[in-house]
Amino acid sequence: MTENSKPIKLMYFAWVREKVGRAEEHIEPPEDIATVGDLMGWLKGRGPEYAAAFERADVIRAAIDHTHARSDAPIASAREIAFFPPVTGG
């Protein structure tokens, strides 16, 4: 993130939301947080509720500005990032 960057809106769904204890928040991650994976790692360090929510980061899905994103996707221009568990159907 750069000096002129704006806060990113994070949204949490399903059990990710339940473990974090909130549906959304606005954050300004440190400059060295460049990807979705970096962001999940940083979030894990924000407290026990985040550590529990992102304990299995490998199964959590993300979307940047309403588009599904992999863990190596850059977040520099993101306005909104959503985190949710894998979707199952039936």
Side-chain angles (χ1 to χ4, degrees):
M1 305 291 299
T2 66
E3 275 184 37
N4 298 324
S5 65
K6 296 184 180 180
I8 299 171
K9 179 180 181 181
L10 299 184
M11 299 178 67
Y12 308 108
F13 294 93
W15 56 257
V16 180
R17 178 185 63 232
E18 292 169 13
K19 291 181 180 187
V20 169
R22 64 183 69 200
E24 63 183 56
E25 65 182 316
H26 288 82
I27 59 142
E28 291 189 46
E31 285 187 31
D32 62 335
I33 305 303
T35 66
V36 169
D38 293 342
L39 181 59
M40 286 195 280
W42 178 74
L43 287 168
K44 281 173 75 171
R46 293 186 71 201
E49 64 276 22
Y50 291 93
F54 291 95
E55 179 178 24
R56 297 196 53 216
D58 59 317
V59 301
I60 294 176
R61 302 294 181 246
I64 297 175
D65 299 326
H66 304 274
T67 302
H68 286 272
R70 295 175 13 164
S71 65
D72 61 351
I75 64 167
S77 62
R79 289 172 293 178
E80 178 182 283
I81 301 175
F83 294 104
F84 48 92
V87 177
T88 60

